[in-house]
Amino acid sequence: MSISRRDALKKMLALGASGAATQVFGKELRSPGPDTAPVVVENPREAYPDTQTTEDIYRKEFAETLGNPEEKGFAYHCVNCQGNCAWEVWTKDGKVTRENQSAKYPSIAPDIPDYNPRGCNKGVQHSQIMYEQDRLLYPMKRVGERGEGKWKRISWDQAVTEVAQHLYDTMLEKGPAGNYIHIGAGVLTEARAASIKRLGTLLGAVRPYIASYVGDMFPGVSVVYGEGNIGCTYDFIYTTDVAVFWGCNPNVSRIPDAHFLWEGKYRGSKIVVITPEYNATCIHADLWVPLKAGYDGHLALSIVHEILQKNLYSESFLKEYTDLPFLVRKDTRELLRLSDVDVDHSGFDKNFADILKKAPSKKEAHDHEVFLAFNKKTGKIVPMPGCEGSRIETLRLKENVWEIDPALDGRRTVRLKDGKEVKCVTVFELFREEVKRYDAKKIHTEMGVHPSIVEELARDLTKSPNALITMGFSVGKHFNGMLSQRAIATLTAVMGKLGPYGGLNTENEWNITGLQGLSGFDGRYQHRFASGFVSEFMLGDALKDYDELYSDEDVRQATGFSKADYRKKVEELLKVSANDEGYQKGKSYWTESETFLLFADARFRRNKGGYRDAFLKKAKFLAYGDYRMSDFAMYADILLPCKSHYEVWDIRTNPGYHRFANVANPPLKLKNVGETKSEWEIATLLVEKIQALAESKFKSTGNSRFVEIPDKTHTKEGVRPLRQLVKEFTLDGKLRNDRDAVDYALEHVDQFKPNSRETMYKRGGFLQLNEKAGKSSPLYKNRPYNTFESNLFLHQRFETLSGRLTFYVDHHLWLESNVGIPTARSPIRPKRYPFILMTPHARWSIHSTYKTSPILLRLQRGKPYIMLNSDIAAQRGIKDGDTVRMFNDLASVEAMVKVTPSAPPDAVVMEHGWEPFMYKGKVGHNQLAGDMINLLELSDGWGHLKFGTNWDGNQHAYDTTIEIQKV
């Protein structure tokens, strides 16, 4: 019998409609009715003809690609998706032929879903990408103009010699800071990426902060919590009663973990998404809140206002865990400090005066870091325990020898040391007054959210036993995004949720110790760490874009200053922070480098405005390592072909979306692709060559300056001894390649023990972190991880100046900008163009990685496209598939149009990752984007706001508006 599947389905539908019974494929089918029992089919295959042939085809294909099971390896796709998924890698005849999800992660408890399987549509085709035509196979030297595409194949020895010579000459002429050595977001791992970090630290080269230069910092969260990367493992989301996803799209950007949301929904959790666009996660959510782009802070503070107005907060929580009871001086607007007052005055609590006198005298130098409140128990002023300079480190308000009931409201007059009296008010009073401005009834039109939704969110977040807000990266990509992040972090503090009760989730970072000897040198040499957003801003001469794109009105609305005054303030701070003697000795935000050695860093795709031309003028020499010919690679002077993720040894842990560390273990008989090398091999060759060059120069001249490079700020001895490079870099021969790096990590990291490469291989390509991995909470074996249990239950202080969740910042720059208390500001964007350019994470690539994949291009129209609101498209006569020109004062870019109701009417949505060479004229969408440094993100030296991995700024991707025109 021959019948097509389509015809069979038609027959079944017809029969179902008529209620009749008949024979199809020899089986009697009946429409289910009240008196008809369902047909039980034990083997559905028997209902179809010739199934064996089809099965044989697939079995043969599987057997052909499987190869020898004993030779398989394990890997993960260690780019900046941060999913960190274990994959099995199979080979035949030395070539990778397939990859499978490992799917062997253990369940931690019967009532918690497990992490199997992990993977996504990008990683599943890496085996094809590594053999594509754009794979870099051999070292090459540019022979034409930069970007012209003319190359000459050279040997590894020539490539290494030329790169080493330029690095060495620059150290001699400009000092170590003349070199810029960095591995980008294309490789984010503990072992593999450590190679280039170690090389840069040893040579004293500049290294920027990745999270800062891609705009993925959470500085506003650091203000409140002391660190930006906080949160939970994704299985904790399953346990929530309300889960809010603010400025994120986990169905696209967290594909391996998104199932926890929807499994939680079956359990009864309410899923809320807050985004301007109707994204893929909104589809299944219980509530979508379409606020206007850049007004996240306004919404957060309107929810706070609702909570305060209806007394939905916990007064005891705010008193113990926040700085809201602290007193603020009315004359200076600064916090009242212990160093300000006379402790022997009758207005000061005598019990605490005695405690201070009995405490070690060395603490007196830190009295400016102790803050005061009014104790309702005694009617006196008291120093709050737990501050950075406190003699008492706990946050407890009641102990054997004292009891504090700090007043949240009220105004007091306090006597200072000089005998003068000053009026003071609590932070809570100032905060409550400020949030009145964000009454939803007043600003709902401005932010685009109805007051009834604000009421619903306030009720859900405070009344639910477990309420969690997951904040996405897009919130910080607006000029005033740091203030919005701070407002959302403030909201979670007012909710009173920590630990098992929820609170705030950005991205959890595990406590991984012992790796400092892998990427660093135990303090003998310090890395020359530069701010990512400032260094990229300066490399791209972005002040020119600022001048061209923004009007005086645009800047005034976003900052409160004129365009000229704001630029002057930024330039003054940049000048101060440009050298090692800046805000903090030995630390600079940016440095003028001229020799660049970069790996896995698509900076011409990522950076904004006129960055490419400005960068190429500054880069006198540019060497680049990658596994493929990216847009940035086209402009290099020397290309270094690297191995890809299936060809190296590596280990990956953070960020902590799950509790497993995955290992990359290449298949046993995998053949090398071309002449590619791992980053560890390349770095080792470079130090050997630089040492040889230095020793040769010293031998011919006898001058020690050729083997000892002065560096007073970033070395213990004040020099970098080049005759010791190889010994230092390789740990006297013990650390020469990527496998050595994995062994080092397994040996030295306590949180990995007891494990080895062999045990990880047998388990399925991973290990489970032990209990020492938790930072602010225990990592229980049978419970999802959440943060701040140690603070909530053990009353340990937070890593903030106040020791608490911080609402008030009295840094002079913040007070001058009138943001000492949490507030919100409008985004900066040119008003003369109607559409905001929004560039969220893409479904079909991981930033630019995999963007050129032939398979994935077929699923996204094959070329750059924008999403345009249906009504706007109709008004302008634009149809789906048309080509439009996007333009503003900075650039003109062509793209295809995808008409959709999911895009906001005032925005053009373009999933990012498209490389410039994929556009007409090689002009990419980011050339439309201008940016400006936010002064507040440059402030430094106040309490816990000190430049480093917890305090830096962001590149802002959403500060541009455009016009569109049909081509």
Side-chain angles (χ1 to χ4, degrees), residues 573 576-577 579 581-585 587 589 938-941:
L573 282 179
V576 173
S577 66
N579 58 71
E581 305 298 325
Y583 285 138
Q584 297 180 47
K585 188 174 181 180
K587 294 182 180 179
Y589 279 109
L938 270 179
S939 59
D940 191 41

Side-chain angles (χ1 to χ4, degrees), residues 374-437:
F374 181 78
N375 189 359
K376 294 166 70 174
K377 288 286 184 182
T378 62
K380 306 288 185 180
I381 303 299
V382 296
M384 292 293 283
C387 300
E388 181 67 30
S390 293
R391 277 71 159 177
I392 305 166
E393 294 188 356
T394 180
L395 294 181
R396 293 184 189 275
L397 298 179
K398 184 178 181 180
E399 286 286 2
N400 295 331
V401 294
W402 81 80
E403 183 176 0
I404 304 174
D405 181 14
L408 277 177
D409 49 16
R411 300 168 186 270
R412 306 286 186 276
T413 299
V414 178
R415 182 182 173 119
L416 304 180
K417 275 184 176 179
D418 59 7
K420 293 181 181 179
E421 291 188 339
V422 62
K423 293 181 179 180
C424 297
V425 62
T426 63
V427 175
F428 183 76
E429 283 275 5
L430 295 173
F431 181 57
R432 184 164 55 186
E433 193 64 29
E434 175 66 19
V435 298
K436 288 180 180 177
R437 298 174 51 206

Side-chain angles (χ1 to χ4, degrees), residues 844 856-867 879-882 896-900 914:
W844 309 109
L856 297 181
L857 282 173
R858 291 177 60 191
L859 302 175
Q860 53 178 330
R861 303 199 172 198
K863 64 179 183 178
Y865 65 89
I866 65 170
M867 288 178 273
K879 296 180 181 179
D880 193 276
D882 283 349
M896 180 192 287
V897 171
K898 176 181 178 180
V899 177
T900 171
W914 302 99

